[in-house]
Amino acid sequence: MKVDIEELKKEKKANFKERLDFIDRYVEWIKATPNKVWSKQYKDFIDSSFQKK
């Protein structure tokens, strides 16, 4: 199997851009969403991680 270094570099660059875009969208969501809403969502998520199975 031959690894195309240029293709890997393109994928790395695209992945990095996608991550930055996600962060931008996430920040905008946090700014636009009331604290009570997103803090409850995080609380529910964290609590679900510790529920007994």
Side-chain angles (χ1 to χ4, degrees):
M1 179 177 166
K2 186 176 179 181
V3 177
D4 184 356
I5 299 297
E6 289 306 313
E7 186 64 31
L8 288 174
K9 286 179 182 179
K10 287 178 186 177
E11 287 178 18
K12 181 179 176 181
K13 187 174 181 178
N15 181 274
F16 184 73
K17 183 182 180 320
E18 287 176 13
R19 289 172 181 248
L20 291 178
D21 290 344
F22 171 80
I23 292 169
D24 288 341
R25 288 190 312 272
Y26 184 65
V27 167
E28 290 305 315
W29 177 81
I30 288 176
K31 287 179 182 178
T33 306
N35 287 345
K36 285 184 179 182
V37 173
W38 65 262
S39 63
K40 181 180 180 333
Q41 288 180 1
Y42 276 99
K43 178 192 174 301
D44 293 346
F45 173 73
I46 291 169
D47 288 348
S48 72
S49 298
F50 292 104
Q51 287 180 350
K52 294 180 182 177
K53 295 180 181 182

Short mmCIF file of all heavy atoms in Angstrom, two decimals:
data_model
loop_
_atom_site.label_atom_id
_atom_site.label_comp_id
_atom_site.label_asym_id
_atom_site.label_seq_id
_atom_site.Cartn_x
_atom_site.Cartn_y
_atom_site.Cartn_z
N MET A 1 0.85 -1.18 0.00
CA MET A 1 0.00 0.00 0.00
C MET A 1 0.89 1.25 0.00
O MET A 1 1.73 1.42 0.86
CB MET A 1 -0.90 0.00 1.23
CG MET A 1 -1.79 1.20 1.32
SD MET A 1 -2.86 1.04 2.75
CE MET A 1 -3.42 2.68 2.84
N LYS A 2 0.71 2.08 -0.98
CA LYS A 2 1.51 3.29 -1.11
C LYS A 2 0.76 4.46 -0.46
O LYS A 2 -0.42 4.66 -0.72
CB LYS A 2 1.77 3.58 -2.58
CG LYS A 2 2.72 4.74 -2.80
CD LYS A 2 3.02 4.90 -4.27
CE LYS A 2 3.95 6.09 -4.45
NZ LYS A 2 4.27 6.30 -5.86
N VAL A 3 1.46 5.20 0.36
CA VAL A 3 0.87 6.34 1.05
C VAL A 3 1.19 7.60 0.26
O VAL A 3 2.35 7.87 -0.05
CB VAL A 3 1.42 6.46 2.49
CG1 VAL A 3 0.86 7.68 3.18
CG2 VAL A 3 1.11 5.21 3.28
N ASP A 4 0.15 8.32 -0.10
CA ASP A 4 0.32 9.57 -0.83
C ASP A 4 0.43 10.71 0.19
O ASP A 4 -0.56 11.11 0.80
CB ASP A 4 -0.86 9.79 -1.77
CG ASP A 4 -0.69 11.03 -2.62
OD1 ASP A 4 0.29 11.78 -2.44
OD2 ASP A 4 -1.57 11.26 -3.48
N ILE A 5 1.65 11.19 0.37
CA ILE A 5 1.93 12.23 1.36
C ILE A 5 1.12 13.49 1.07
O ILE A 5 0.57 14.10 2.00
CB ILE A 5 3.44 12.56 1.41
CG1 ILE A 5 4.25 11.32 1.81
CG2 ILE A 5 3.72 13.72 2.34
CD1 ILE A 5 3.95 10.78 3.18
N GLU A 6 1.00 13.87 -0.16
CA GLU A 6 0.26 15.09 -0.51
C GLU A 6 -1.22 14.93 -0.15
O GLU A 6 -1.84 15.87 0.33
CB GLU A 6 0.44 15.44 -1.99
CG GLU A 6 1.83 15.94 -2.33
CD GLU A 6 2.28 17.12 -1.47
OE1 GLU A 6 1.49 18.07 -1.29
OE2 GLU A 6 3.42 17.08 -0.97
N GLU A 7 -1.77 13.74 -0.39
CA GLU A 7 -3.17 13.49 -0.04
C GLU A 7 -3.36 13.56 1.48
O GLU A 7 -4.35 14.12 1.97
CB GLU A 7 -3.62 12.13 -0.57
CG GLU A 7 -5.09 11.87 -0.38
CD GLU A 7 -5.99 12.82 -1.15
OE1 GLU A 7 -5.61 13.30 -2.24
OE2 GLU A 7 -7.10 13.08 -0.67
N LEU A 8 -2.42 13.01 2.23
CA LEU A 8 -2.48 13.08 3.69
C LEU A 8 -2.41 14.53 4.18
O LEU A 8 -3.12 14.91 5.11
CB LEU A 8 -1.36 12.26 4.32
CG LEU A 8 -1.49 10.75 4.22
CD1 LEU A 8 -0.23 10.08 4.78
CD2 LEU A 8 -2.72 10.27 4.96
N LYS A 9 -1.57 15.33 3.55
CA LYS A 9 -1.46 16.74 3.93
C LYS A 9 -2.77 17.48 3.66
O LYS A 9 -3.22 18.29 4.47
CB LYS A 9 -0.32 17.41 3.17
CG LYS A 9 1.05 17.02 3.66
CD LYS A 9 2.14 17.71 2.86
CE LYS A 9 3.52 17.29 3.29
NZ LYS A 9 4.57 17.94 2.49
N LYS A 10 -3.42 17.16 2.52
CA LYS A 10 -4.71 17.79 2.20
C LYS A 10 -5.77 17.39 3.23
O LYS A 10 -6.55 18.23 3.68
CB LYS A 10 -5.17 17.38 0.80
CG LYS A 10 -4.39 18.04 -0.31
CD LYS A 10 -4.90 17.54 -1.67
CE LYS A 10 -4.04 18.07 -2.80
NZ LYS A 10 -4.47 17.53 -4.11
N GLU A 11 -5.79 16.12 3.59
CA GLU A 11 -6.76 15.64 4.57
C GLU A 11 -6.52 16.29 5.93
O GLU A 11 -7.47 16.65 6.62
CB GLU A 11 -6.69 14.12 4.69
CG GLU A 11 -7.27 13.40 3.50
CD GLU A 11 -7.15 11.89 3.62
OE1 GLU A 11 -6.93 11.37 4.74
OE2 GLU A 11 -7.28 11.22 2.57
N LYS A 12 -5.26 16.43 6.30
CA LYS A 12 -4.92 17.06 7.58
C LYS A 12 -5.39 18.52 7.59
O LYS A 12 -5.97 18.98 8.58
CB LYS A 12 -3.41 16.99 7.82
CG LYS A 12 -2.97 17.59 9.12
CD LYS A 12 -1.46 17.47 9.31
CE LYS A 12 -1.02 18.15 10.58
NZ LYS A 12 0.43 18.08 10.77
N LYS A 13 -5.15 19.22 6.50
CA LYS A 13 -5.55 20.62 6.40
C LYS A 13 -7.08 20.75 6.45
O LYS A 13 -7.62 21.61 7.14
CB LYS A 13 -5.01 21.23 5.11
CG LYS A 13 -5.21 22.70 4.99
CD LYS A 13 -4.52 23.24 3.74
CE LYS A 13 -4.70 24.74 3.64
NZ LYS A 13 -4.01 25.31 2.49
N ALA A 14 -7.79 19.86 5.74
CA ALA A 14 -9.25 19.88 5.73
C ALA A 14 -9.80 19.57 7.12
O ALA A 14 -10.75 20.21 7.57
CB ALA A 14 -9.79 18.89 4.70
N ASN A 15 -9.20 18.61 7.79
CA ASN A 15 -9.63 18.25 9.13
C ASN A 15 -9.45 19.42 10.09
O ASN A 15 -10.33 19.71 10.91
CB ASN A 15 -8.85 17.03 9.62
CG ASN A 15 -9.26 16.59 11.00
OD1 ASN A 15 -8.76 17.11 12.00
ND2 ASN A 15 -10.17 15.63 11.07
N PHE A 16 -8.32 20.09 9.99
CA PHE A 16 -8.05 21.25 10.85
C PHE A 16 -9.08 22.35 10.61
O PHE A 16 -9.61 22.93 11.55
CB PHE A 16 -6.62 21.76 10.59
CG PHE A 16 -6.21 22.87 11.50
CD1 PHE A 16 -5.92 22.64 12.83
CD2 PHE A 16 -6.12 24.16 11.01
CE1 PHE A 16 -5.54 23.67 13.67
CE2 PHE A 16 -5.74 25.21 11.85
CZ PHE A 16 -5.45 24.96 13.18
N LYS A 17 -9.39 22.60 9.33
CA LYS A 17 -10.39 23.62 8.99
C LYS A 17 -11.76 23.25 9.55
O LYS A 17 -12.46 24.09 10.09
CB LYS A 17 -10.46 23.83 7.48
CG LYS A 17 -11.42 24.93 7.08
CD LYS A 17 -11.50 25.08 5.57
CE LYS A 17 -12.44 26.17 5.13
NZ LYS A 17 -13.67 26.32 5.85
N GLU A 18 -12.14 21.97 9.43
CA GLU A 18 -13.42 21.51 9.97
C GLU A 18 -13.49 21.73 11.47
O GLU A 18 -14.52 22.12 12.00
CB GLU A 18 -13.64 20.04 9.64
CG GLU A 18 -13.98 19.78 8.20
CD GLU A 18 -14.09 18.29 7.89
OE1 GLU A 18 -14.15 17.47 8.84
OE2 GLU A 18 -14.11 17.95 6.71
N ARG A 19 -12.40 21.46 12.16
CA ARG A 19 -12.36 21.66 13.61
C ARG A 19 -12.52 23.14 13.97
O ARG A 19 -13.25 23.47 14.90
CB ARG A 19 -11.05 21.11 14.19
CG ARG A 19 -10.99 19.61 14.18
CD ARG A 19 -9.60 19.13 14.58
NE ARG A 19 -9.52 17.70 14.54
CZ ARG A 19 -9.38 16.93 15.63
NH1 ARG A 19 -9.29 17.48 16.81
NH2 ARG A 19 -9.32 15.63 15.51
N LEU A 20 -11.85 24.01 13.24
CA LEU A 20 -11.98 25.44 13.50
C LEU A 20 -13.41 25.92 13.21
O LEU A 20 -13.97 26.72 13.98
CB LEU A 20 -10.98 26.24 12.67
CG LEU A 20 -9.52 26.09 13.06
CD1 LEU A 20 -8.64 26.90 12.12
CD2 LEU A 20 -9.28 26.50 14.50
N ASP A 21 -13.99 25.42 12.13
CA ASP A 21 -15.37 25.78 11.80
C ASP A 21 -16.33 25.32 12.90
O ASP A 21 -17.25 26.04 13.28
CB ASP A 21 -15.79 25.17 10.46
CG ASP A 21 -15.08 25.82 9.28
OD1 ASP A 21 -14.50 26.92 9.44
OD2 ASP A 21 -15.10 25.21 8.19
N PHE A 22 -16.11 24.12 13.42
CA PHE A 22 -16.95 23.62 14.50
C PHE A 22 -16.84 24.52 15.73
O PHE A 22 -17.85 24.86 16.35
CB PHE A 22 -16.56 22.18 14.88
CG PHE A 22 -17.25 21.70 16.12
CD1 PHE A 22 -18.55 21.25 16.07
CD2 PHE A 22 -16.60 21.74 17.35
CE1 PHE A 22 -19.20 20.83 17.22
CE2 PHE A 22 -17.23 21.33 18.50
CZ PHE A 22 -18.54 20.87 18.45
N ILE A 23 -15.63 24.90 16.07
CA ILE A 23 -15.43 25.77 17.24
C ILE A 23 -16.15 27.10 17.04
O ILE A 23 -16.82 27.59 17.95
CB ILE A 23 -13.92 25.99 17.51
CG1 ILE A 23 -13.29 24.68 17.99
CG2 ILE A 23 -13.71 27.11 18.53
CD1 ILE A 23 -11.78 24.70 18.03
N ASP A 24 -16.06 27.67 15.84
CA ASP A 24 -16.76 28.93 15.56
C ASP A 24 -18.27 28.77 15.73
O ASP A 24 -18.94 29.61 16.34
CB ASP A 24 -16.46 29.41 14.14
CG ASP A 24 -15.05 29.95 13.99
OD1 ASP A 24 -14.42 30.30 15.02
OD2 ASP A 24 -14.58 30.04 12.83
N ARG A 25 -18.83 27.68 15.18
CA ARG A 25 -20.28 27.45 15.30
C ARG A 25 -20.67 27.22 16.76
O ARG A 25 -21.71 27.71 17.22
CB ARG A 25 -20.71 26.26 14.45
CG ARG A 25 -20.68 26.52 12.96
CD ARG A 25 -21.35 25.42 12.15
NE ARG A 25 -20.93 24.07 12.51
CZ ARG A 25 -19.88 23.43 11.98
NH1 ARG A 25 -19.15 24.02 11.07
NH2 ARG A 25 -19.59 22.21 12.36
N TYR A 26 -19.85 26.50 17.49
CA TYR A 26 -20.13 26.21 18.90
C TYR A 26 -20.12 27.49 19.72
O TYR A 26 -21.00 27.71 20.55
CB TYR A 26 -19.11 25.20 19.42
CG TYR A 26 -19.36 24.76 20.83
CD1 TYR A 26 -20.49 24.04 21.15
CD2 TYR A 26 -18.47 25.07 21.85
CE1 TYR A 26 -20.73 23.62 22.45
CE2 TYR A 26 -18.69 24.67 23.14
CZ TYR A 26 -19.83 23.94 23.44
OH TYR A 26 -20.06 23.54 24.74
N VAL A 27 -19.15 28.34 19.48
CA VAL A 27 -19.07 29.61 20.20
C VAL A 27 -20.31 30.46 19.91
O VAL A 27 -20.90 31.05 20.83
CB VAL A 27 -17.77 30.37 19.84
CG1 VAL A 27 -17.81 31.81 20.32
CG2 VAL A 27 -16.57 29.65 20.43
N GLU A 28 -20.72 30.51 18.66
CA GLU A 28 -21.92 31.27 18.31
C GLU A 28 -23.15 30.69 18.99
O GLU A 28 -24.02 31.44 19.44
CB GLU A 28 -22.11 31.32 16.78
CG GLU A 28 -21.08 32.18 16.08
CD GLU A 28 -21.01 33.60 16.63
OE1 GLU A 28 -22.06 34.23 16.85
OE2 GLU A 28 -19.88 34.09 16.85
N TRP A 29 -23.23 29.36 19.08
CA TRP A 29 -24.37 28.73 19.76
C TRP A 29 -24.38 29.11 21.23
O TRP A 29 -25.42 29.46 21.78
CB TRP A 29 -24.30 27.21 19.59
CG TRP A 29 -25.41 26.50 20.32
CD1 TRP A 29 -26.69 26.34 19.89
CD2 TRP A 29 -25.34 25.90 21.62
NE1 TRP A 29 -27.41 25.66 20.84
CE2 TRP A 29 -26.61 25.37 21.91
CE3 TRP A 29 -24.32 25.74 22.55
CZ2 TRP A 29 -26.89 24.71 23.10
CZ3 TRP A 29 -24.60 25.07 23.73
CH2 TRP A 29 -25.87 24.57 24.00
N ILE A 30 -23.21 29.06 21.87
CA ILE A 30 -23.13 29.42 23.29
C ILE A 30 -23.54 30.87 23.50
O ILE A 30 -24.28 31.19 24.43
CB ILE A 30 -21.72 29.15 23.85
CG1 ILE A 30 -21.49 27.65 23.97
CG2 ILE A 30 -21.53 29.81 25.21
CD1 ILE A 30 -20.10 27.26 24.42
N LYS A 31 -23.08 31.75 22.63
CA LYS A 31 -23.43 33.16 22.76
C LYS A 31 -24.93 33.39 22.60
O LYS A 31 -25.51 34.25 23.25
CB LYS A 31 -22.69 34.00 21.71
CG LYS A 31 -21.22 34.17 21.98
CD LYS A 31 -20.60 34.98 20.85
CE LYS A 31 -19.14 35.18 20.99
NZ LYS A 31 -18.58 35.93 19.84
N ALA A 32 -25.56 32.64 21.71
CA ALA A 32 -26.98 32.85 21.38
C ALA A 32 -27.93 32.08 22.31
O ALA A 32 -29.12 32.34 22.30
CB ALA A 32 -27.24 32.43 19.94
N THR A 33 -27.40 31.16 23.09
CA THR A 33 -28.24 30.31 23.93
C THR A 33 -28.16 30.78 25.37
O THR A 33 -27.07 30.98 25.90
CB THR A 33 -27.76 28.84 23.83
OG1 THR A 33 -27.72 28.47 22.45
CG2 THR A 33 -28.67 27.91 24.58
N PRO A 34 -29.32 30.95 26.01
CA PRO A 34 -29.30 31.38 27.42
C PRO A 34 -28.50 30.40 28.30
O PRO A 34 -28.51 29.19 28.06
CB PRO A 34 -30.78 31.38 27.81
CG PRO A 34 -31.53 31.48 26.53
CD PRO A 34 -30.68 30.79 25.50
N ASN A 35 -27.84 30.95 29.32
CA ASN A 35 -27.02 30.13 30.21
C ASN A 35 -27.80 28.97 30.81
O ASN A 35 -27.28 27.86 30.92
CB ASN A 35 -26.44 30.97 31.35
CG ASN A 35 -25.33 31.87 30.88
OD1 ASN A 35 -24.79 31.70 29.80
ND2 ASN A 35 -24.99 32.85 31.70
N LYS A 36 -29.05 29.21 31.20
CA LYS A 36 -29.84 28.14 31.81
C LYS A 36 -30.04 26.97 30.86
O LYS A 36 -30.06 25.82 31.29
CB LYS A 36 -31.20 28.68 32.27
CG LYS A 36 -31.12 29.52 33.51
CD LYS A 36 -32.51 29.93 33.98
CE LYS A 36 -32.40 30.75 35.24
NZ LYS A 36 -33.71 31.14 35.76
N VAL A 37 -30.18 27.26 29.58
CA VAL A 37 -30.42 26.19 28.61
C VAL A 37 -29.17 25.34 28.42
O VAL A 37 -29.21 24.12 28.57
CB VAL A 37 -30.88 26.78 27.26
CG1 VAL A 37 -30.95 25.70 26.19
CG2 VAL A 37 -32.21 27.49 27.41
N TRP A 38 -28.04 25.97 28.09
CA TRP A 38 -26.86 25.14 27.83
C TRP A 38 -26.27 24.54 29.10
O TRP A 38 -25.75 23.43 29.08
CB TRP A 38 -25.80 25.84 26.98
CG TRP A 38 -25.11 27.05 27.52
CD1 TRP A 38 -25.40 28.34 27.27
CD2 TRP A 38 -23.97 27.07 28.39
NE1 TRP A 38 -24.53 29.16 27.92
CE2 TRP A 38 -23.64 28.41 28.61
CE3 TRP A 38 -23.20 26.08 28.99
CZ2 TRP A 38 -22.57 28.79 29.43
CZ3 TRP A 38 -22.13 26.45 29.79
CH2 TRP A 38 -21.84 27.79 29.99
N SER A 39 -26.41 25.22 30.24
CA SER A 39 -25.88 24.62 31.46
C SER A 39 -26.71 23.40 31.86
O SER A 39 -26.18 22.41 32.36
CB SER A 39 -25.78 25.63 32.59
OG SER A 39 -27.04 26.13 32.95
N LYS A 40 -28.05 23.44 31.62
CA LYS A 40 -28.88 22.27 31.90
C LYS A 40 -28.50 21.12 30.97
O LYS A 40 -28.42 19.96 31.41
CB LYS A 40 -30.36 22.58 31.75
CG LYS A 40 -31.24 21.38 32.06
CD LYS A 40 -32.69 21.65 31.93
CE LYS A 40 -33.57 20.47 32.22
NZ LYS A 40 -33.07 19.15 32.04
N GLN A 41 -28.25 21.42 29.71
CA GLN A 41 -27.86 20.37 28.79
C GLN A 41 -26.56 19.70 29.23
O GLN A 41 -26.43 18.47 29.19
CB GLN A 41 -27.72 20.92 27.37
CG GLN A 41 -29.04 21.26 26.74
CD GLN A 41 -28.90 21.80 25.32
OE1 GLN A 41 -27.81 21.90 24.78
NE2 GLN A 41 -30.02 22.15 24.72
N TYR A 42 -25.60 20.50 29.67
CA TYR A 42 -24.33 19.93 30.14
C TYR A 42 -24.53 19.14 31.43
O TYR A 42 -23.94 18.08 31.62
CB TYR A 42 -23.27 21.01 30.32
CG TYR A 42 -22.58 21.31 29.03
CD1 TYR A 42 -22.95 22.40 28.26
CD2 TYR A 42 -21.60 20.47 28.54
CE1 TYR A 42 -22.34 22.66 27.05
CE2 TYR A 42 -20.98 20.72 27.33
CZ TYR A 42 -21.36 21.82 26.60
OH TYR A 42 -20.77 22.06 25.40
N LYS A 43 -25.36 19.66 32.32
CA LYS A 43 -25.63 18.95 33.56
C LYS A 43 -26.25 17.59 33.25
O LYS A 43 -25.82 16.57 33.80
CB LYS A 43 -26.58 19.75 34.45
CG LYS A 43 -26.96 19.04 35.75
CD LYS A 43 -28.11 19.76 36.42
CE LYS A 43 -28.60 19.00 37.63
NZ LYS A 43 -29.06 17.64 37.37
N ASP A 44 -27.25 17.58 32.36
CA ASP A 44 -27.89 16.32 31.99
C ASP A 44 -26.89 15.35 31.37
O ASP A 44 -26.90 14.15 31.66
CB ASP A 44 -29.05 16.57 31.03
CG ASP A 44 -30.20 17.32 31.67
OD1 ASP A 44 -30.25 17.41 32.93
OD2 ASP A 44 -31.06 17.83 30.91
N PHE A 45 -26.02 15.86 30.52
CA PHE A 45 -25.01 15.01 29.88
C PHE A 45 -24.05 14.43 30.92
O PHE A 45 -23.78 13.22 30.93
CB PHE A 45 -24.23 15.81 28.84
CG PHE A 45 -23.07 15.06 28.27
CD1 PHE A 45 -23.26 14.02 27.39
CD2 PHE A 45 -21.77 15.38 28.65
CE1 PHE A 45 -22.18 13.32 26.87
CE2 PHE A 45 -20.70 14.68 28.14
CZ PHE A 45 -20.90 13.65 27.25
N ILE A 46 -23.55 15.27 31.80
CA ILE A 46 -22.61 14.81 32.83
C ILE A 46 -23.29 13.82 33.76
O ILE A 46 -22.72 12.77 34.09
CB ILE A 46 -22.01 16.01 33.59
CG1 ILE A 46 -21.10 16.80 32.65
CG2 ILE A 46 -21.25 15.54 34.84
CD1 ILE A 46 -20.65 18.13 33.20
N ASP A 47 -24.50 14.15 34.19
CA ASP A 47 -25.23 13.23 35.07
C ASP A 47 -25.45 11.87 34.41
O ASP A 47 -25.34 10.84 35.06
CB ASP A 47 -26.58 13.83 35.48
CG ASP A 47 -26.44 14.98 36.46
OD1 ASP A 47 -25.33 15.19 37.01
OD2 ASP A 47 -27.45 15.69 36.68
N SER A 48 -25.74 11.88 33.10
CA SER A 48 -25.97 10.61 32.41
C SER A 48 -24.70 9.76 32.36
O SER A 48 -24.78 8.53 32.29
CB SER A 48 -26.49 10.86 30.99
OG SER A 48 -25.48 11.36 30.15
N SER A 49 -23.55 10.41 32.43
CA SER A 49 -22.28 9.66 32.41
C SER A 49 -22.06 8.91 33.70
O SER A 49 -21.30 7.94 33.74
CB SER A 49 -21.11 10.63 32.19
OG SER A 49 -21.24 11.26 30.95
N PHE A 50 -22.72 9.35 34.78
CA PHE A 50 -22.50 8.73 36.09
C PHE A 50 -23.67 7.88 36.56
O PHE A 50 -23.67 7.41 37.68
CB PHE A 50 -22.20 9.82 37.13
CG PHE A 50 -20.90 10.50 36.90
CD1 PHE A 50 -20.85 11.78 36.37
CD2 PHE A 50 -19.70 9.88 37.19
CE1 PHE A 50 -19.65 12.42 36.12
CE2 PHE A 50 -18.48 10.51 36.96
CZ PHE A 50 -18.46 11.78 36.43
N GLN A 51 -24.66 7.70 35.69
CA GLN A 51 -25.80 6.87 36.09
C GLN A 51 -25.37 5.41 36.24
O GLN A 51 -24.54 4.92 35.47
CB GLN A 51 -26.91 6.97 35.05
CG GLN A 51 -27.64 8.27 35.07
CD GLN A 51 -28.76 8.33 34.02
OE1 GLN A 51 -28.84 7.46 33.17
NE2 GLN A 51 -29.57 9.36 34.09
N LYS A 52 -25.94 4.78 37.22
CA LYS A 52 -25.65 3.37 37.43
C LYS A 52 -26.33 2.55 36.36
O LYS A 52 -27.45 2.82 35.97
CB LYS A 52 -26.11 2.93 38.82
CG LYS A 52 -25.33 3.60 39.92
CD LYS A 52 -25.82 3.14 41.27
CE LYS A 52 -25.04 3.88 42.35
NZ LYS A 52 -25.51 3.53 43.68
N LYS A 53 -25.63 1.53 35.91
CA LYS A 53 -26.18 0.67 34.86
C LYS A 53 -26.64 -0.63 35.43
O LYS A 53 -26.29 -1.10 36.41
CB LYS A 53 -25.12 0.43 33.78
CG LYS A 53 -24.78 1.72 33.08
CD LYS A 53 -23.75 1.49 32.01
CE LYS A 53 -23.42 2.82 31.34
NZ LYS A 53 -22.49 2.71 30.30
#
